[in-house]
Amino acid sequence: MIRANDIIDKVADYYPAADFDIIRKAYAYSAYAHRNQVRLSGEPYMIHPIEVANILAEMKMDVASIASGLLHDTLEDDPMTSLEDLSLRFGDEITALVEGLTKISKIKFKSSREHQAENYRKMILAMVKDIRVLVIKLADRVHNMRTLDFQKRERQEAIAQETLDIYAPLANRLGISWIKQELEDNSLRYLQPAMYREIEEKVTRKELESREFIDKTIKLVQRNLTHSSIKSQISGRLKHLYSIYRKMVRRDIAFEQIYDIVAFRILVGTKAECYNVLGIIHALWRPLPSRFKDFIGIPKANMYQSLHTTVIGPDGRHAEFQIRTFEMHQIAEMGIAAHWHYKEGYQLDDHDRKQMDWLRQMIEWQQDVDNPGEFLDSVKIDLFSEAVYVFTPTGEVKELPSGSTPIDMAYSIHSKVGDHCSGAKVNGKLVSLRYQLKNGEMVDIVTSNRQHPSKDWLGFVKTSKARSKIRQWVKKEEERRSIELGREFCEKAFSRSKLSFNQALKSGKVQAVAEGFSLKHAEALLAAIGRGKLTAQQLINRIFPELRKSKKGKDKAEEKKTIRKPARDGISIKDIDDVMVRFAKCCNPLPGDDVIGFITRGRGLTIHRRNCRHVDQANSERYMEVSWNLDRTTAHVVKIRVMCADVKGMLVAMSTAISSQEANIASASLKTTIDQKALCFFDVQIKDLEHLKRVKMALRGVKGVYQVTRMS
Ligand code: MN
């Protein structure tokens, strides 16, 4: 079993000035937190975090990563460990790493279908604020895969599949090729055991067979490079199992049909030497034209740099050469992890952060970008920092722009779901429509048939799909309301002139007038009237020009009056301009009251207080949302009832109080009751709700006044 000192020795090798104490502390803390846990192998659980830390030390990661490797399971496994506790003992940096790791471990991967796997990977990337979290997570997975034997068969398969679908590609994106290869090979071992054994056996045999070929080739290259005084390190090996397997499956060929199974690697000092060596190889053997790739000129998205060429080598056998500098090789093997190897301090400076951002962008781009055209195309893909990944109740992952709301999610499911979205349950809790979804949340959309899109939604939705669907709905709704209003106005105007609007409509005369205004159909004309762009009187004048001649003067005056003075009096109606309104007598709404509009047959739009007893919400399609336009208000009559003592001078005192608030009294009446009290009724002209409050307050200030109520 590895001890703390073994890890410390490793770290001391590449970073002698490191804070070893923190590693010792993390070791002790983890050992205590896991003291009662046992692995499936029967060993103490502590073996696992130690091995993870050891892998990280071998990768020459920084001390914070190694300490976090030791602590990575404490938060989840030990009820006594808390974020506060960790932060107190190890500081914010390590705590944030452990917290990030715990978050990832809580994501449940339900679906392993390929298109979902990509979204899971993106979700993990989006959740990771510090790329070191991902490196530690990969080290964790490496060790879990190494010890998978102890799991039950189904668990083995599930974990191996998840590793293949999610973690191996992530390792690739971070450019850590040794992890990618080990994870792939180990996954195959459990997913296709028979196939794995077969390939393993053949590779071993092939390796023996190829020994002579490899040695011969290396010697030949070495001689030529020395001749050109290039210092180099050359190695030859067989490709890793999974890449052979994939080639067999992809091309549907047998192991024996794979020719370029041997790969040579030449490491040199400088970039210029790489191209020199390439020239030498191509002079020795004929290259296969389609197999040359210059990843030095155009690096892969994961920072990988190398020249690749396949030649028809000695004995006519295919051989692949990878040519790169030592530094490029370090990055090829370690990827982003190589970054910490070169670091001396622990704190990330701005430059590093920029590099992280850059990396975040790069790893988002499609992996294995092989040609320059594709590479440039991939630059245009949205950066994932601008995306949020959430689960549907069935475990599918949805990708949405960050800041997206339940409405965006609903529209991404189906436009009907969006149109009726009334809220959502996030991780089981109800949230509002404005709620901004966060990574990894499980979102269950709540719908209701009574719910409809609203113009307000446009203020907070993020997706263009939601935006355009809401606009569509609002426009359609506005059209519907305008037509309805237009019809009401027409019916009223026609009946005033003792005409039948329905007859005019049926006879096609309205249609003809519509065409005269270059409108497509009668409904468009009604909508124009509803919006106040045309008047019902204009329609009548067009249909019955003889009426107009006979009482020309009067009609003209009326028409002018309507146009000059839109009767809406301080009310603005949602999505509709210029309609006529009146105020309900039953509840006398005041500016500032919560009001609603009701379409009355033959009377246009009537404004009621929302809590008026005449408002019947069951008849909801005839109601319309309206609001006060407070800079256009005029006085409204409000009935006020005052109960007071029946004493002399009361009426005068109350009238004075009302007038003191600059309110006019339209009428007043008084009646006495048997118990020495009086009831007074005032009709007062009030500007708005605020004004009413002041008047009521003034009345209450009068001596002898018991109760002041607004009547409805
Ligand atoms: Mn673990």
Side-chain angles (χ1 to χ4, degrees), residues 36 310 320 332 492 499 508 630 642:
N36 293 325
T310 302
E320 188 189 299
K492 189 184 170 192
L499 298 165
L630 289 172
V642 183

PDB file of all heavy atoms in Angstrom, residues 36 310 320 332 492 499 508 630 642:
ATOM      1  N   ASN A  36     -14.151   3.616   8.259  1.00  0.00           N
ATOM      2  CA  ASN A  36     -15.026   2.446   8.411  1.00  0.00           C
ATOM      3  C   ASN A  36     -15.443   1.819   7.078  1.00  0.00           C
ATOM      4  O   ASN A  36     -16.240   0.901   7.043  1.00  0.00           O
ATOM      5  CB  ASN A  36     -16.276   2.832   9.189  1.00  0.00           C
ATOM      6  CG  ASN A  36     -15.930   3.191  10.629  1.00  0.00           C
ATOM      7  OD1 ASN A  36     -15.025   2.583  11.214  1.00  0.00           O
ATOM      8  ND2 ASN A  36     -16.607   4.189  11.167  1.00  0.00           N
ATOM      9  N   THR A 310       2.307   7.870 -43.299  1.00  0.00           N
ATOM     10  CA  THR A 310       2.401   6.417 -43.429  1.00  0.00           C
ATOM     11  C   THR A 310       3.153   6.123 -44.725  1.00  0.00           C
ATOM     12  O   THR A 310       2.839   6.710 -45.764  1.00  0.00           O
ATOM     13  CB  THR A 310       1.006   5.781 -43.464  1.00  0.00           C
ATOM     14  OG1 THR A 310       0.308   6.146 -42.273  1.00  0.00           O
ATOM     15  CG2 THR A 310       1.102   4.262 -43.538  1.00  0.00           C
ATOM     16  N   GLU A 320       3.569   3.565 -39.915  1.00  0.00           N
ATOM     17  CA  GLU A 320       3.174   4.946 -39.628  1.00  0.00           C
ATOM     18  C   GLU A 320       4.260   5.617 -38.800  1.00  0.00           C
ATOM     19  O   GLU A 320       4.807   5.010 -37.879  1.00  0.00           O
ATOM     20  CB  GLU A 320       1.848   4.974 -38.852  1.00  0.00           C
ATOM     21  CG  GLU A 320       1.307   6.393 -38.697  1.00  0.00           C
ATOM     22  CD  GLU A 320       0.115   6.481 -37.757  1.00  0.00           C
ATOM     23  OE1 GLU A 320      -0.911   5.834 -38.056  1.00  0.00           O
ATOM     24  OE2 GLU A 320       0.228   7.188 -36.738  1.00  0.00           O
ATOM     25  N   ALA A 332       1.264  15.823 -25.914  1.00  0.00           N
ATOM     26  CA  ALA A 332       0.457  14.752 -26.505  1.00  0.00           C
ATOM     27  C   ALA A 332       0.082  13.713 -25.451  1.00  0.00           C
ATOM     28  O   ALA A 332      -1.020  13.172 -25.449  1.00  0.00           O
ATOM     29  CB  ALA A 332       1.219  14.087 -27.648  1.00  0.00           C
ATOM     30  N   LYS A 492     -72.354  48.011 -33.492  1.00  0.00           N
ATOM     31  CA  LYS A 492     -72.890  49.174 -32.793  1.00  0.00           C
ATOM     32  C   LYS A 492     -73.196  50.310 -33.776  1.00  0.00           C
ATOM     33  O   LYS A 492     -74.296  50.870 -33.790  1.00  0.00           O
ATOM     34  CB  LYS A 492     -71.864  49.632 -31.751  1.00  0.00           C
ATOM     35  CG  LYS A 492     -72.396  50.698 -30.824  1.00  0.00           C
ATOM     36  CD  LYS A 492     -71.283  51.167 -29.902  1.00  0.00           C
ATOM     37  CE  LYS A 492     -71.736  52.395 -29.134  1.00  0.00           C
ATOM     38  NZ  LYS A 492     -70.608  53.031 -28.449  1.00  0.00           N
ATOM     39  N   LEU A 499     -79.037  49.855 -39.506  1.00  0.00           N
ATOM     40  CA  LEU A 499     -78.578  48.961 -40.569  1.00  0.00           C
ATOM     41  C   LEU A 499     -78.170  47.639 -39.931  1.00  0.00           C
ATOM     42  O   LEU A 499     -77.900  47.580 -38.735  1.00  0.00           O
ATOM     43  CB  LEU A 499     -77.374  49.562 -41.288  1.00  0.00           C
ATOM     44  CG  LEU A 499     -77.597  50.895 -42.009  1.00  0.00           C
ATOM     45  CD1 LEU A 499     -76.270  51.540 -42.345  1.00  0.00           C
ATOM     46  CD2 LEU A 499     -78.430  50.674 -43.266  1.00  0.00           C
ATOM     47  N   GLY A 508     -71.394  40.272 -48.903  1.00  0.00           N
ATOM     48  CA  GLY A 508     -70.100  40.460 -49.560  1.00  0.00           C
ATOM     49  C   GLY A 508     -69.716  41.921 -49.694  1.00  0.00           C
ATOM     50  O   GLY A 508     -68.667  42.249 -50.252  1.00  0.00           O
ATOM     51  N   LEU A 630     -51.051  56.061 -17.004  1.00  0.00           N
ATOM     52  CA  LEU A 630     -51.258  57.039 -15.938  1.00  0.00           C
ATOM     53  C   LEU A 630     -51.031  58.490 -16.337  1.00  0.00           C
ATOM     54  O   LEU A 630     -51.461  59.395 -15.658  1.00  0.00           O
ATOM     55  CB  LEU A 630     -50.427  56.665 -14.713  1.00  0.00           C
ATOM     56  CG  LEU A 630     -50.969  55.418 -13.990  1.00  0.00           C
ATOM     57  CD1 LEU A 630     -50.022  54.974 -12.904  1.00  0.00           C
ATOM     58  CD2 LEU A 630     -52.369  55.638 -13.432  1.00  0.00           C
ATOM     59  N   VAL A 642     -69.800  57.140   4.061  1.00  0.00           N
ATOM     60  CA  VAL A 642     -69.208  57.491   5.354  1.00  0.00           C
ATOM     61  C   VAL A 642     -70.234  57.256   6.452  1.00  0.00           C
ATOM     62  O   VAL A 642     -71.377  57.693   6.340  1.00  0.00           O
ATOM     63  CB  VAL A 642     -68.754  58.973   5.382  1.00  0.00           C
ATOM     64  CG1 VAL A 642     -68.070  59.296   6.718  1.00  0.00           C
ATOM     65  CG2 VAL A 642     -67.837  59.280   4.212  1.00  0.00           C
TER      66      VAL A 642
END
